C-alpha cells in the first residue's frame, strides 16, 4: 500500500460525513450489518471477533478497521462487553483533480480499500474520535463543520501511524516468505529483531501479522520447527542430545532439553525410548506441524449492498457515565502507550505530562455506601540507573519482568508478565505465582509483541542490549545485580524501583530471621571447619562443573546465606575471581570436592557412569552427598536463594539423621 498516493487521493477528494456513533455490545452479544457508506470501526474496549467480508479479525482493545460501502460486518463478543465507534462517510474524487490522480483513484479507490491494524499510538486516535462523536451529537451546523476538521485530522494521524508501522495491503506473501526462511535457517540465530530488519517492518507489525496468519508468534514457530527437526534426528539417527541440540541451533544442551520437555511433554531420551517401543509410531515427526495459512470464513453476517442493516443481540447505546470511565482509563494509559511510536527516551518523557497536564478522577460506587471519588496516582519520579536517569511511575501497577522475578515478588508486587524461563524453572517461586501472570517468552527470545500487548507501566530487565526496545514500550529499568554486594542491597534497590521501600524493609527483616534459623539448624551437624562443594555432572558431558557463589545451581544459598565453607580451590579459582563456575576433568575432582558435596540431578535424566576418582572421594564414601533438583535450583535470585537455603538446611538435617 502506497500511503503517499493514498493521502494524495484524500487531498483531492470531496468528503461528506454520514454518521458517527458509539456502541456497546454486551457479554456474548452479536451485531451484524452492511455498511451503507465507507467507514472506520474503532474498538476501544473489550475483545472478540470481527468478520469483514468473510475475513476474520481477532481483536482486542484499540483495534481499527476500514471498509468500503456494502462491506458485510459481523461482530461477536466474548465474556467482556465491547465498546466501539463507527464513522461513516462518503468520498468522491473532485473533478478538478489531475488525470494522474483520477487514474489512480479508479484503479485503487481509497474509500473502498479494506485494512485493519492496531495503531501504535491509539489514544491519540481515540481523542480525535471521541471529540468528533461529542460534537456530532450536538447537531448544530457549526459543530458539524468542526467535526469535519477533526475527521481530516483523524485520517492524517492514522496514515502517519500506518506509514510508520509499515502496514501493507498484502501480508500473506510476507508471512510465507518468513516461514520459508525459518525452515531454511532454523539452525541459525533467529530473533524478532533480525526478522524485522530483514523484511523492513516494525517488530510489532511483523509479529502481529505472522500470528494472525499462522496462529503462533514467529519465535514460537521457530521453536516448533526446531523441535520437529530434533524429533526427526532422534528417530532416524543415533546422534547424542548434545549433537542434536547443536544441529537445531542450541549450544546449551540443558536449555534444549528443558525446551524440548516443555514442547513435547517428555525429555529427548524419554521421547526416543517411547518411539522405539511403540510399534505404531509415526515415521514423520513433521506430521501435525503444518502452517495454518488458510483463512476462516463465516456466514453469520447478512449481505445487502443497498440497505443499512443492523441486527443486534445485547447491544445498547453507550451511557455518558460509562464513556467517561473509558476516557479516564485511556487517558491514564496515554503516557505509556504513546511511547510505542516515539523515537527514543527523550521524546517519550516529554510526552508523559500530556495531554493537558492534569489528572482525572474515577468515580467508584460501592453497595450500601455513598459514592466516593479516588484519584489514580499517575505521578512520575526520577530514578538513577545503570542506563542513566529514568522517569518511572511513583507506584507502578502493571510491571513486566524478564528475569529477576524473585525480588519483584519479595517486595509484594505481582507482575502482569514474566519470562517463562523463570516461571517454569524457579520451582520454589511457583506458590507465589498466580495464573494471571502472562508468559512473555523464554529468556533470549522475549516476545516484544506480548510485552506490548500487556500495556506495562514499568519494565524491569537484566538485559542492557534489550533496553532500547523495551523503553519504546514503557519506562524501563536495567536491574544489574552485579551492582549489589548483598541480598539486602538487592532487595532495597528493587523496593526503590517499585516504590515499595517499606515492603522491602519488612522482607529483609524476615530474611535475616529465617537465615539465622537455617544456619542454626545445621550448626551442630556440619563441623565449623568442614568444607562443602556444589557440582553438576548431569547437564554436561565428559567433565565436571563446579559451582561458585554466584549464578544458578544453589551456590548463593549454600555459601552466602548458609555461610558454608568452600574448598580452597573453589574459593581461589571461582569465588575470588567472581566467576559462576569452572569445568574440570574427572582426574582433578579431588582438588575441588570438600567434606560434603551437593550434587545436581535432573528429573528424567540418568547420571553418567561415575569414575573411581569420584567414588573414592571421602565425601562419597562417608555418604556426605546431598542431592538437589535442577528445576528448583536453576534460579539465583534473592527470594529463590532464601528458599533454596532453607531446603538445603532441611536436606542436611535429614542426611545426618539417616547416617547416624
Amino acid at each position: 500500500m502506497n500511503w503517499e498516493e493514498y493521502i494524495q487521493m484524500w487531498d483531492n477528494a470531496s468528503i461528506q460525513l454520514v454518521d458517527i456513533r458509539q456502541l456497546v455490545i454486551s457479554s456474548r452479544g452479536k451485531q451484524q450489518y452492511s455498511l451503507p457508506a465507507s467507514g472506520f470501526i474503532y474498538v476501544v474496549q473489550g475483545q472478540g471477533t470481527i468478520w469483514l467480508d468473510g475475513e476474520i479479525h481477532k481483536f482486542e482493545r484499540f483495534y481499527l478497521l476500514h471498509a468500503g460501502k456494502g462491506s458485510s460486518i459481523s461482530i461477536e463478543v466474548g465474556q467482556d462487553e465491547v465498546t466501539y465507534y463507527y464513522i461513516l462517510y462518503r468520498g468522491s474524487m473532485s473533478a478538478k483533480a489531475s488525470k494522474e490522480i483520477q487514474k489512480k483513484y479508479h484503479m485503487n479507490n481509497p474509500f473502498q480499500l479494506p485494512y485493519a491494524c492496531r495503531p501504535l499510538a491509539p489514544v491519540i486516535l481515540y481523542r480525535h474520535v471521541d471529540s468528533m462523536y461529542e460534537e456530532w451529537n450536538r447537531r448544530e451546523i457549526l459543530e458539524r463543520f468542526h467535526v469535519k476538521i477533526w475527521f481530516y485530522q483523524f485520517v492524517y494521524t492514522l496514515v502517519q501511524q500506518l506509514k510508520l508501522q509499515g502496514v501493507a495491503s498484502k501480508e500473506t506473501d510476507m508471512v510465507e516468505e518468513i516461514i520459508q526462511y525459518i525452515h531454511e535457517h532454523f539452525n541459525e540465530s533467529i530473533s524478532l529483531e533480525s526478522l524485522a530488519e530483514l523484511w523492513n517492518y516494525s517488530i510489532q507489525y511483523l509479529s502481529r501479522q505472522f500470528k494472525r496468519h499462522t496462529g503462533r508468534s514467529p519465535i514460537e514457530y521457530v521453536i516448533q520447527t526446531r523441535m520437529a527437526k530434533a524429533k526427526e534426528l532422534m528417530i532416524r539417527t543415533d546422534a547424542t542430545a548434545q549433537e542434536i541440540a547443536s544441529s537445531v541451533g542450541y549450544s546449551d544442551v540443558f536449555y534444549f532439553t528443558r525446551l524440548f520437555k516443555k514442547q513435547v511433554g517428555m525429555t529427548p531420551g524419554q521421547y526416543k525410548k517411547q518411539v522405539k517401543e511403540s510399534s505404531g509410531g509415526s515415521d514423520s515427526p513433521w506430521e501435525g506441524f503444518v502452517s495454518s495459512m488458510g483463512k476462516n470464513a463465516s456466514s453469520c453476517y447478512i449481505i445487502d449492498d443497498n440497505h443499512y442493516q443492523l441486527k443486534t443481540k445485547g447491544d445498547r447505546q453507550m451511557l455518558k457515565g460509562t464513556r467517561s470511565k473509558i476516557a479516564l482509563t485511556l487517558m491514564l494509559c496515554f503516557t505509556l502507550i504513546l511511547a510505542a511510536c516515539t523515537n527514543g527516551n527523550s521524546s517519550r518523557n516529554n510526552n508523559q505530562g500530556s495531554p493537558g497536564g492534569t489528572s482525572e478522577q474515577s468515580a467508584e460506587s460501592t453497595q450500601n455506601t455513598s459514592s466516593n471519588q479516588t484519584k489514580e496516582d499517575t505521578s512520575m519520579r526520577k530514578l538513577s540507573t545503570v542506563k542513566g536517569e529514568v522517569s518511572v511511575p511513583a507506584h507502578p501497577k502493571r510491571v513486566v519482568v524478564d528475569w529477576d522475578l524473585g525480588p519483584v515478588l519479595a517486595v509484594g508486587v505481582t507482575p502482569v508478565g514474566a519470562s517463562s524461563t523463570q516461571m517454569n524453572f524457579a520451582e520454589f517461586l511457583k506458590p507465589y505465582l498466580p495464573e494471571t501472570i502472562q508468559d512473555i517468552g523464554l529468556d533470549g527470545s522475549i516476545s516484544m509483541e506480548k510485552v506490548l500487548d500487556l500495556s506495562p507501566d514499568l519494565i524491569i530487565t537484566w538485559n542492557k542490549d534489550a533496553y532500547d526496545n523495551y523503553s519504546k514500550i514503557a519506562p524501563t529499568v536495567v536491574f544489574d545485580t552485579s551492582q549489589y554486594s548483598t541480598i539486602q542491597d538487592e532487595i532495597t534497590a528493587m523496593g526503590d524501583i517499585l516504590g515499595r521501600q517499606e515492603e522491602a524493609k519488612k522482607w529483609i527483616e524476615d530474611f535475616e530471621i529465617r537465615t539465622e534459623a537455617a544456619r542454626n539448624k545445621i550448626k551442630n551437624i556440619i563441623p565449623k571447619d568442614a568444607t562443602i562443594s556444589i557440582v553438576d555432572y548431569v547437564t554436561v558431558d565428559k567433565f565436571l562443573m563446579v559451582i561458585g557463589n554466584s549464578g544458578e545451581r544453589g551456590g548463593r544459598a549454600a555459601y552466602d546465606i548458609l555461610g558454608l565453607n568452600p574448598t580452597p580451590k573453589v574459593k581461589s579459582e571461582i569465588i575470588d575471581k567472581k566467576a559462576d563456575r569452572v569445568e574440570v576433568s574427572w582426574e582433578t575432582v579431588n582438588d575441588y570436592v570438600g567434606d560434603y558435596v551437593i550434587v545436581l540431578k535432573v528429573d528424567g535424566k540418568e547420571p553418567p557412569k561415575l569414575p573411581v576418582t569420584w567414588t573414592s572421594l571421602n565425601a562419597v564414601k562417608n555418604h556426605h552427598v546431598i542431592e538437589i533438583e535442577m528445576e528448583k535450583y536453576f534460579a539465583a535470585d534473592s527470594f529463590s536463594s532464601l528458599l533454596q537455603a532453607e531446603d538445603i538446611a532441611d536436606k542436611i538435617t535429614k542426611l545426618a539423621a539417616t547416617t547416624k
Side-chain angles (χ1 to χ4, degrees), residues 274-275 277-283:
Q274 183 186 54
V275 171
E277 292 177 350
S278 173
S279 57
S282 171
D283 290 332

Side-chain angles (χ1 to χ4, degrees), residues 454-527:
L454 290 173
S455 299
D457 55 8
L458 181 65
I459 299 171
I460 300 173
T461 179
W462 69 273
N463 191 350
K464 294 177 184 178
D465 293 336
Y467 176 82
D468 288 341
N469 286 329
Y470 281 140
S471 61
K472 291 175 184 177
I473 299 173
T476 301
V477 175
V478 175
F479 189 65
D480 184 358
T481 54
S482 67
Q483 302 291 311
Y484 314 112
S485 57
T486 66
I487 284 176
Q488 290 91 330
D489 291 343
E490 193 174 297
I491 295 297
T492 299
M494 185 60 76
D496 290 339
I497 292 169
L498 294 171
R500 295 289 187 116
Q501 290 84 353
E502 287 302 315
E503 289 82 354
K505 288 180 182 178
K506 290 178 182 177
W507 191 90
I508 290 170
E509 290 172 0
D510 183 61
F511 167 78
E512 291 172 350
I513 292 170
R514 292 168 66 175
T515 296
E516 186 66 23
R519 289 185 175 189
N520 288 335
K521 182 177 286 189
I522 61 175
K523 186 176 182 180
N524 297 322
I525 298 175
I526 293 185

Side-chain angles (χ1 to χ4, degrees), residues 66-332:
H66 178 269
K69 177 181 177 181
S71 296
S72 300
I73 306 292
S74 178
I75 306 175
E76 293 185 2
V77 174
Q79 292 183 346
D80 300 325
E81 67 178 21
V82 165
T83 304
Y84 74 97
Y85 295 83
Y86 69 70
I87 306 162
L88 299 179
Y89 70 95
R90 294 190 182 96
S92 59
M93 186 54 58
S94 169
K96 296 180 180 180
S98 67
K99 290 183 179 179
E100 183 181 356
I101 296 296
Q102 294 278 3
K103 182 179 179 180
K104 290 178 181 178
Y105 171 77
H106 290 298
M107 290 178 63
N108 197 12
N109 186 340
F111 313 122
Q112 290 294 121
L113 189 65
Y115 53 85
C117 71
R118 186 178 182 187
L120 280 175
V123 179
I124 294 178
L125 294 175
Y126 167 78
R127 293 174 63 199
H128 292 326
V129 172
D130 193 58
S131 297
M132 291 163 56
Y133 172 74
E134 292 286 352
E135 294 201 14
W136 180 266
N137 284 304
R138 293 180 185 176
R139 301 183 182 278
E140 297 178 8
I141 294 176
L142 187 61
E143 278 69 26
R144 287 288 176 96
F145 176 76
H146 196 203
V147 171
K148 195 169 185 179
I149 298 173
W150 276 107
F151 179 65
Y152 275 105
Q153 184 64 43
F154 166 82
V155 174
Y156 168 78
T157 304
L158 174 62
V159 172
Q160 264 191 327
Q161 295 188 28
L162 295 178
K163 186 178 179 181
L164 182 64
Q165 288 175 268
V167 174
S169 57
K170 294 183 179 180
E171 302 89 9
T172 304
D173 290 343
M174 175 194 73
V175 174
E176 289 175 347
E177 289 174 4
I178 294 173
I179 288 173
Q180 183 66 29
Y181 178 85
I182 290 172
H183 281 281
E184 291 176 358
H185 300 272
F186 66 88
N187 60 334
E188 301 172 13
S189 177
I190 299 176
S191 66
L192 274 177
E193 288 80 4
S194 65
L195 293 175
E197 184 176 354
L198 282 171
W199 270 267
N200 197 27
Y201 288 117
S202 70
I203 292 172
Q204 295 84 359
Y205 175 76
L206 182 146
S207 184
R208 183 167 57 248
Q209 296 305 321
F210 191 96
K211 192 166 186 178
R212 174 183 167 190
H213 286 279
T214 68
R216 51 184 81 103
S217 72
I219 299 304
E220 288 171 338
Y221 195 95
V222 170
I223 292 172
Q224 291 171 350
T225 302
R226 288 172 171 174
M227 294 303 111
K229 185 62 178 177
K231 288 180 183 178
E232 181 181 351
L233 291 171
M234 289 174 200
I235 294 171
R236 298 180 179 177
T237 73
D238 289 329
T240 66
Q242 179 67 67
E243 290 168 339
I244 292 173
S246 298
S247 70
V248 297
Y250 298 105
S251 59
D252 186 338
V253 66
F254 177 61
Y255 178 77
F256 163 74
T257 301
R258 295 200 317 268
L259 200 56
F260 188 93
K261 184 176 180 181
K262 181 179 180 182
Q263 294 288 324
V264 182
M266 62 187 77
T267 66
Q270 291 169 335
Y271 175 80
K272 190 168 186 176
K273 182 179 179 182
Q274 183 186 54
V275 171
K276 284 186 176 181
E277 292 177 350
S278 173
S279 57
S282 171
D283 290 332
S284 176
W286 293 88
E287 188 176 349
F289 180 63
V290 294
S291 173
S292 55
M293 295 299 296
K295 294 180 180 178
N296 296 321
S298 172
S299 59
C300 64
Y301 51 82
I302 300 171
I303 299 177
D304 189 328
D305 290 336
N306 300 316
H307 299 284
Y308 178 62
Q309 300 183 33
L310 176 61
K311 295 194 175 183
T312 65
K313 176 184 178 183
D315 63 296
R316 56 183 171 82
Q317 189 68 23
M318 187 68 170
L319 297 175
K320 193 173 184 66
T322 308
R323 183 170 65 252
S324 298
K325 289 184 179 180
I326 296 169
L328 167 65
T329 303
L330 295 172
M331 295 295 282
L332 292 177

Side-chain angles (χ1 to χ4, degrees), residues 604-633:
K605 184 168 184 178
E606 292 295 324
K609 184 178 180 181
L610 299 172
V612 68
T613 52
W614 174 266
T615 56
S616 62
L617 291 170
N618 287 333
V620 176
K621 290 191 294 184
N622 294 332
H623 305 290
H624 289 171
V625 178
I626 302 141
E627 289 188 335
I628 59 175
E629 301 82 2
M630 179 61 84
E631 288 192 356
K632 291 183 177 180
Y633 283 81

Side-chain angles (χ1 to χ4, degrees), residues 335 338-339 341-354 382 387 389-391 467-468 471-472 474-476:
T335 298
L338 183 57
C341 68
T342 59
N343 295 319
N345 295 329
S346 60
S347 58
R348 184 188 70 249
N349 293 336
N350 289 337
N351 287 331
Q352 285 171 339
S354 62
K382 297 289 186 181
K387 299 294 285 186
E389 198 172 66
V390 178
S391 291
Y467 176 82
D468 288 341
S471 61
K472 291 175 184 177
T476 301

